[in-house]
Amino acid sequence: MPTRAVLTRLIFLGCLAASAGSVAPGEALEPKVTPLGAKVANGSSLRDVRGNRRPLHDFKGNKALVLLFVGAECPVSNLYLPEVIALEKKYRAKSVQFLAVYPNHMDDLDCIAGHAYDRDTPFPVLQDVGQKLANMLGV
């Protein structure tokens, strides 16, 4: 299977896993999906493990930006993270930037930092405060 297809499936699974359980019962889903390849608004919902704001535009000097929506307690994202780390090492020299995005409310900065450390995540990990980026992308 081509690497691109594997990567696409992994990202889809991450998006699916991160969004599971994020909507309260009775809450309506409003599909506000940003199309693939479209520019994303320069929001301020992303925070690094030190609490500093990190907009997506901070990473614009790369050929591609891969967003992985993960959860510290998500068994699916924990299962595919080692494969994604291997892909990141393969594409790092080709100027492809990977970002792990934690949209779940229960994942605070300490939890995110510990999760990334335990799994030796070599790329930036970011908290999506208020799930703004996830909602904007339709995750």
Side-chain angles (χ1 to χ4, degrees), residues 34 37-46 53-62 65 67 97 99 126 133 136-137:
T34 303
K39 290 189 177 187
V40 177
N42 194 14
S44 60
S45 68
L46 298 178
R53 290 182 179 175
R54 294 295 306 267
L56 283 179
H57 294 167
D58 281 358
F59 304 98
K60 66 181 175 184
N62 300 290
L65 185 62
L67 301 175
Q97 177 67 60
L99 299 174
L126 304 166
L133 179 63
M136 187 183 327
L137 297 177

Side-chain angles (χ1 to χ4, degrees), residues 45-46 69 101-103 126-135:
S45 68
L46 298 178
F69 289 88
V101 180
Y102 291 77
L126 304 166
Q127 180 186 36
D128 184 11
V129 178
Q131 298 180 330
K132 291 179 184 176
L133 179 63
N135 290 336

Side-chain angles (χ1 to χ4, degrees), residues 74-130:
C74 176
V76 175
S77 67
N78 285 330
L79 208 71
Y80 72 70
L81 195 54
E83 295 297 324
V84 172
I85 290 171
L87 283 173
E88 187 273 340
K89 289 178 184 175
K90 179 178 177 180
Y91 287 99
R92 183 183 306 158
K94 296 179 182 180
S95 193
V96 176
Q97 177 67 60
F98 284 64
L99 299 174
V101 180
Y102 291 77
N104 297 334
H105 297 289
M106 63 200 131
D107 292 339
D108 63 11
L109 292 176
D110 289 336
C111 177
I112 292 169
H115 186 256
Y117 178 81
D118 290 344
R119 282 151 183 81
D120 294 323
T121 307
F123 43 87
V125 295
L126 304 166
Q127 180 186 36
D128 184 11
V129 178

